């Protein structure tokens, strides 16, 4: 890889070659991939990029840690739409708001960006089997992207994972183990199984390439905005791999001069499970928390990318915001009604956070904000119905329709 120098541990600073099956550092820290920005500058300009036909996460391969001859996995991941959300901005009293709908990825979450990267690296490593533990979306995205690439998957999910995600896993032909316990228990079992059978490891705690895949969301946002930097980018946070990736992508663009300043991050967590935000707010190391929220994808009591996530939030001068389940459900409805975007609970947590910060006066009125929707609402219809209500249910009769409308004050 001409564009990559090496990997460096984010905790102890040790540097090692960026081999495809790189795992965590012996010190326990996660590696970061270090690029040769001088080379990237010569290889890619904004004009060259603007003329590219490729509309996927692989659009800027110069920024990605894959060999030139690597056969990329077939599903079309990335280049999701960035919608200007004028109506929602007005309701929240913000100057400009955009919604990046990453629920439109092939398995319907932002995790596809990491899983496609994992599949590419597994192929480079010559692996035939990939495994991971996940709150749900990492699992379904890995199963789908691996199936398309002809690789076998072993997946560990906590038994609370919503049915939609489990249905995806079964459809993609994964071997699925539903663990009766917390995400922490699930993770521990997957780790033991992976070391026993030597599978390629797609766990966020271990694999440094996942946040490199996820960073493509930032590369896209900035290109879609014509390189005009927003004041804030809001992300929902569980393990912390996503927000770390978002920050990495921005720093890459800054390093090659594609953008001239960096946005501030907004880290949105659930009130019932916010170990990373609590650490930032208290200026202390993070401590484990209960996993007490309906937003299953961010119910992570022991975050696996804490180091990278905390430095991303702190370096960016970021804001933290913790949202209740009721606020998450309200945001689901608000985003649906004003934007036509259907997010799962964790998927809309960032938008719930933006709304809360705006209402608390913590965002200036002239602020421009991008809110990333990280997962699709169809994955968890039970919570969507709970948030947004049941339809009018009547027999097929005009009289009953008139009665029902009258009773609800609906005047077509
Ligand atoms: C995984 C996930 C997140 C959080 O990403 P982390 O890397 O765990 O912080 C947010 N939203 C959705 C829908 C997810 O699947
Ligand atoms: Zn180390």
């Amino acid at each position: 890889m001409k564009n990559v120098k090496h990997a460096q541990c984010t905790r102890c600073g040790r540097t090692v070659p960026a081999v495809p099956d790189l795992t965590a550092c012996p010190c326990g820290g996660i590696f970061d991939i270090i690029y040769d920005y001088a080379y990237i500058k010569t290889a890619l300009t904004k004009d060259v990029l603007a003329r590219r036909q490729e509309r996927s996460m692989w659009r800027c391969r110069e920024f990605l840690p894959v060999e030139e001859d690597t056969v990329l996995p077939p599903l079309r991941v990335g280049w999701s739409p960035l919608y200007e959300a004028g109506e929602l901005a007005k309701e929240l009293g913000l100057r400009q708001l955009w919604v990046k709908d990453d629920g439109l990825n092939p398995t319907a979450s932002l995790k596809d960006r990491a899983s496609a990267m994992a599949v590419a690296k597994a192929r480079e490593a010559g692996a035939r089997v990939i495994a991971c533990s996940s709150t749900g979306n990492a699992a379904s995205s890995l199963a789908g992207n691996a199936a398309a690439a002809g690789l076998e998957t072993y997946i560990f999910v906590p038994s609370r994972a919503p049915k939609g995600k489990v249905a995806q896993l079964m459809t993609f032909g994964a071997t699925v183990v539903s663990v009766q316990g917390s995400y922490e228990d699930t993770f521990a079992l997957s780790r033991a199984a992976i070391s026993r059978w030597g599978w390629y490891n797609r766990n966020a705690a271990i694999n440094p390439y996942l946040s490199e895949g996820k960073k493509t969301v930032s590369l896209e946002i900035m290109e879609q905005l014509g390189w005009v930097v927003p004041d804030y980018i809001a992300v929902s946070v569980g393990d912390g791999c996503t927000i770390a990736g978002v920050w990495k992508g921005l720093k890459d663009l800054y390093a090659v001069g594609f953008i001239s300043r960096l946005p501030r991050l907004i880290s949105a967590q659930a009130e019932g499970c916010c170990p990373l935000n609590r650490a930032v707010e208290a200026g202390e190391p993070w401590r484990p928390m209960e996993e007490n929220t309906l937003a299953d994808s961010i119910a992570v009591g022991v975050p696996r990318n804490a180091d990278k996530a905390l430095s991303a939030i702190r370096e960016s001068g970021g804001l933290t915001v913790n949202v209740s389940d009721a606020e998450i459900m309200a945001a689901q409805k608000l985003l649906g009604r004003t934007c036509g975007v259907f997010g799962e609970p964790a998927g809309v947590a960032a938008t719930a956070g933006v709304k809360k910060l705006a209402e608390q006066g913590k965002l200036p009125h002239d602020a421009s904000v991008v809110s990333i929707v990280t997962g699709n609402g169809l994955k968890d219809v039970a919570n969507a119905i709970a948030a947004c209500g049941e339809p009018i249910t009547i027999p097929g009769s005009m009289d009953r329709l008139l009665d029902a409308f009258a009773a609800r004050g609906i005047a077509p």
Side-chain angles (χ1 to χ4, degrees):
M1 296 180 284
K2 287 194 209 131
N3 58 342
V4 171
K5 287 185 175 167
H6 50 248
Q8 181 166 31
C9 175
T10 49
R11 196 174 290 172
C12 74
R14 167 206 296 250
T15 64
V16 298
V19 294
D21 54 354
L22 191 60
T23 56
C25 180
C27 84
I30 303 181
F31 284 107
D32 185 25
I33 305 301
I34 308 296
Y35 291 87
D36 181 348
Y37 292 115
Y39 167 78
I40 296 175
K41 266 186 180 172
T42 63
L44 185 67
T45 64
K46 287 185 194 174
D47 287 342
V48 167
L49 184 56
R51 286 195 294 273
R52 286 221 172 130
Q53 298 301 312
E54 178 73 47
R55 295 264 187 278
S56 80
M57 66 174 275
W58 305 106
R59 183 172 171 79
C60 297
R61 242 167 117 153
E62 288 83 355
F63 283 110
L64 296 175
V66 284
E67 301 287 352
E68 272 165 42
D69 58 354
T70 299
V71 182
L72 300 173
L75 292 186
R76 208 220 60 162
V77 177
W79 203 256
S80 59
L82 181 75
Y83 298 122
E84 174 139 32
E87 182 58 35
L88 184 53
K90 215 185 301 165
E91 290 204 19
L92 302 187
L94 291 171
R95 183 171 61 88
Q96 263 184 319
L97 178 65
W98 293 270
V99 170
K100 175 78 166 163
D101 188 5
D102 245 50
L104 291 187
N105 276 304
T107 79
S109 82
L110 187 146
K111 294 286 194 304
D112 279 333
R113 298 177 187 272
S115 291
M117 178 61 74
V119 168
K121 298 310 284 183
R123 274 181 163 170
E124 287 180 7
R128 302 208 25 250
V129 182
I130 313 189
C132 79
S133 70
S134 158
T135 54
N137 284 332
S140 54
S141 73
L142 177 62
N145 282 277
L151 297 173
E152 213 183 316
T153 46
Y154 287 83
I155 305 285
F156 298 80
V157 287
S159 53
R160 61 155 206 251
K163 280 240 161 20
K165 300 180 185 181
V166 177
Q168 287 183 299
L169 292 171
M170 303 316 293
T171 304
F172 297 140
T175 301
V176 185
V177 182
S178 174
V179 179
Q180 293 162 323
S182 66
Y183 174 50
E184 173 62 5
D185 301 327
T186 310
F187 183 85
L189 181 60
S190 80
R191 184 165 51 194
I194 288 167
S195 80
R196 180 170 185 131
W197 284 291
W199 301 322
Y200 188 85
N201 191 333
R202 187 241 179 266
N203 276 335
I206 305 286
N207 190 320
Y209 295 107
L210 304 178
S211 53
E212 301 300 316
K214 287 183 173 182
K215 82 182 178 187
T216 56
V217 73
S218 292
L219 307 182
E220 289 171 20
I221 288 170
M222 289 316 312
E223 192 183 355
Q224 287 168 320
L225 288 176
W227 312 107
V228 178
V229 181
D231 298 320
Y232 297 91
I233 297 184
V235 192
S236 54
V237 176
D239 269 319
C241 179
T242 306
I243 198 164
V246 166
W247 187 235
K248 180 75 179 280
L250 294 166
K251 285 201 302 183
D252 281 354
L253 294 173
Y254 186 75
V256 300
F258 280 24
I259 55 176
S260 54
R261 67 184 179 97
L262 289 161
R264 297 171 72 183
L265 299 177
I266 295 173
S267 165
Q269 292 208 282
E271 254 170 28
C273 190
C274 52
L276 292 172
N277 280 355
R278 204 170 59 174
V280 173
E281 287 151 14
E284 285 170 2
W286 68 274
R287 277 173 289 119
M289 264 185 96
E290 301 270 288
E291 296 171 355
N292 190 9
T293 169
L294 63 78
D296 61 288
S297 305
I298 53 169
V300 179
V302 181
R304 298 289 159 188
N305 284 71
D307 292 356
K308 280 190 185 179
L310 291 172
S311 31
I313 301 166
R314 288 176 176 140
E315 271 175 49
S316 82
L319 300 176
T320 60
V321 59
N322 302 315
V323 288
S324 67
D325 283 356
E327 287 163 340
I328 288 173
M329 290 163 87
Q332 218 173 358
K333 203 169 172 176
L334 181 64
L335 203 53
R337 177 170 62 75
T338 59
C339 302
V341 170
F342 186 15
E344 67 167 278
V348 305
T351 306
V354 170
K355 178 170 190 283
K356 189 165 185 171
L357 289 171
E359 284 166 359
Q360 292 175 338
K362 292 182 181 160
L363 290 177
H365 287 297
D366 62 352
S368 56
V369 182
V370 174
S371 187
I372 303 176
V373 174
T374 45
N376 196 297
L378 286 173
K379 284 172 173 278
D380 182 0
V381 287
N383 272 316
I385 300 258
C388 304
E390 298 281 352
I392 300 166
T393 306
I394 51 164
S397 133
M398 180 51 77
D399 286 345
R400 303 295 288 274
L401 182 61
L402 294 174
D403 290 348
F405 276 3
R408 289 167 180 76
I410 300 172

